[in-house]
Amino acid sequence: MQFTLVLVLCILPAAVYTWNQNCITKPVGFGYKTTGGQGGKTVKPKNTAELTNYLKSGEKLIIDLTTTFDYTKSEGTAVSTGCFFLKCGSGFQESLANAGTCNGRSPTKVTYYKAGLTQLIVGSNKSIISSNGKGAIKGKGLRIKNAKNVIIQGITISDINPHVIWAGDALSFDNVENVWVHKCTIARIGRQHLVSYQKTNKGITVSSCYFDGTTPSSAYCDGKQYWIWLFWGTHDEITLINNHVANTAGRTPHAGGWSKSRNYVHLVGNSMDNNKHGGIEPWTGSYILSEGNKWTSFTRPINIHAKGGHLAMVNDANGASQCKKYLGAKCLVNKYDNKSKSKTWFDVVVLSQFSKLDKRAISSARNAVCV
């Protein structure tokens, strides 16, 4: 059953919403079984070539990044036919001509760094950490592909052709199992901050990360990134918990949207700030459970154009209580400041579908929500 009445809920002053990045210390949610490179040797790459090889190796490794690894100019530049996505003033994004993005748009020649188009492959049994807090990867993202048991913790991924759509993703899941992404920062990306590909991607938790949408080039010329999270695997199980998502314009997340999509997304206890366009996008094949999130200056937590998917937006005590029937415990109620509104969208089928998943994963995330 679905309701679509528009109203303002749980109005509270913005000052109550503080983000505690340090309150989660172990993997919870769907990725709670992840151990990464535990038991493997620790290596400290000295340059990009060493880092590339360590990431894709078949060894169990703890890869400690102690500086910035800048791939930006490593493969030179390219010029391709593309378009102006929306030439709306200064600070607009261009786009490469992929997947129909440029259909009906004004053509132009697009210049970009080639390194951003391909990602660094990450193999199984890896922990990518930064012991000194200075570890960063610039100009190229990470792609966990056909791999299991990966931890990415405490690093920054940034500056991947921010002016060009289709010119680079920050972090991709491509046929993976058991991944924990924790306390990372992602900023100034041309396309997606997170994306799951059209394979099975299970056991993923993204926690306590900072997704910074502030950008010099944006889809709507307002300095806010649109392309944040895109999930469209054939069977995704993803927990997003205690992340700070700021200055964005959409896709938090976009889930589903093609005939074989099955995306189970637990959006729980996140801080969502400063967005005047749209947030959650439930498209065909998606099942999104949103509970205990805090929305500040977020005009539309749900994208009004999304359709075909399923969302359980826990906005009141009744919704919270319905969770107990299916999941064994009440859900947490979302909170909104006086600049944020939420459409009431509560599909019980989401709870029914989540009841077939790992209930320990679901409850461990809810119990770990920071207060």
Side-chain angles (χ1 to χ4, degrees):
M1 182 167 58
Q2 178 175 317
F3 302 91
T4 56
L5 178 65
V6 178
L7 69 164
V8 178
L9 297 160
C10 304
I11 298 175
L12 294 171
V16 303
Y17 301 153
T18 56
W19 182 49
N20 179 1
Q21 191 178 24
N22 299 313
C23 64
I24 294 176
T25 58
K26 63 180 181 180
V28 296
F30 289 122
Y32 74 89
K33 297 179 182 179
T34 309
T35 57
Q38 182 179 320
K41 66 180 180 181
T42 298
V43 295
K44 295 184 178 183
K46 300 181 183 66
N47 51 52
T48 56
E50 285 191 2
L51 174 57
T52 301
N53 288 330
Y54 284 139
L55 291 171
K56 67 182 180 181
S57 79
E59 293 183 83
K60 179 183 287 188
L61 293 174
I62 299 169
I63 304 170
D64 186 3
L65 309 187
T66 58
T67 188
T68 296
F69 294 82
D70 192 346
Y71 289 83
T72 305
K73 300 179 180 180
S74 61
E75 298 172 32
T77 59
V79 179
S80 300
T81 299
C83 63
F84 299 107
F85 182 76
L86 183 63
K87 195 173 182 180
C88 41
S90 61
F92 54 82
Q93 273 192 304
E94 297 171 323
S95 177
L96 299 183
N98 289 347
T101 303
C102 286
N103 292 351
R105 291 187 163 92
S106 300
T108 188
K109 293 294 184 181
V110 180
T111 302
Y112 54 93
Y113 291 110
K114 291 194 289 185
L117 267 68
T118 57
Q119 295 176 292
L120 300 166
I121 300 301
V122 180
S124 296
N125 303 311
K126 301 289 186 296
S127 290
I128 306 163
I129 66 168
S130 179
S131 60
N132 66 358
K134 298 180 180 179
I137 300 172
K138 287 184 66 177
K140 212 173 195 42
L142 299 176
R143 185 167 182 163
I144 309 170
K145 183 175 182 180
N146 301 327
K148 299 180 179 180
N149 200 33
V150 173
I151 292 174
I152 304 172
Q153 182 170 338
I155 70 167
T156 295
I157 303 173
S158 71
D159 301 286
I160 306 174
N161 290 314
H163 63 297
V164 182
I165 304 165
W166 291 107
D169 298 318
L171 181 56
S172 301
F173 310 115
D174 187 2
N175 191 30
V176 306
E177 184 175 0
N178 294 337
V179 174
W180 183 31
V181 183
H182 184 57
K183 293 183 74 172
C184 294
T185 295
I186 299 180
R188 298 177 299 282
I189 309 298
R191 192 168 174 263
Q192 311 298 338
H193 287 213
L194 300 178
V195 58
S196 66
Y197 282 94
Q198 295 171 326
K199 303 284 182 66
T200 296
N201 302 287
K202 293 184 177 181
I204 298 172
T205 292
V206 181
S207 60
S208 301
C209 293
Y210 180 38
F211 294 91
D212 184 1
T214 309
T215 178
S217 305
S218 63
Y220 298 114
C221 297
D222 61 356
K224 300 179 187 297
Q225 171 76 345
Y226 174 79
W227 323 94
I228 303 299
W229 301 331
L230 170 62
F231 304 133
W232 59 343
T234 54
H235 187 124
D236 290 338
E237 295 180 12
I238 300 172
T239 300
L240 301 161
I241 179 171
N242 195 46
N243 300 293
H244 185 193
V245 184
N247 299 321
T248 61
R251 291 192 171 182
T252 52
H254 170 130
W258 66 296
S259 61
K260 295 183 180 179
S261 286
R262 288 296 178 273
N263 318 102
Y264 304 96
V265 181
H266 193 190
L267 188 68
V268 53
N270 299 282
S271 296
M272 319 290 279
D273 301 343
N274 298 318
N275 180 318
K276 65 180 181 181
H277 297 284
I280 301 173
E281 301 183 23
W283 297 94
T284 301
S286 63
Y287 299 89
I288 303 171
L289 174 58
S290 171
E291 58 167 319
N293 301 292
K294 302 170 184 177
W295 310 83
T296 305
S297 296
F298 210 109
T299 306
R300 297 186 185 92
I302 303 171
N303 186 311
I304 60 175
H305 302 294
K307 59 183 180 180
H310 300 285
L311 170 64
M313 198 79 163
V314 183
N315 284 341
D316 55 32
N318 179 57
S321 295
Q322 290 199 56
C323 291
K324 188 170 185 178
K325 174 182 176 182
Y326 292 91
L327 304 176
K330 289 184 178 180
C331 284
L332 304 174
V333 177
N334 295 310
K335 298 179 181 179
Y336 304 87
D337 76 344
N338 57 10
K339 295 181 180 179
S340 307
K341 299 179 181 179
S342 176
K343 180 170 64 173
T344 297
W345 184 337
F346 195 94
D347 291 342
V348 174
V349 68
V350 173
L351 303 182
S352 177
Q353 289 292 319
F354 267 64
S355 71
K356 302 172 186 177
L357 305 177
D358 187 339
K359 290 185 179 178
R360 176 179 173 182
I362 298 164
S363 63
S364 69
R366 181 181 299 116
N367 294 337
V369 167
C370 308
V371 296

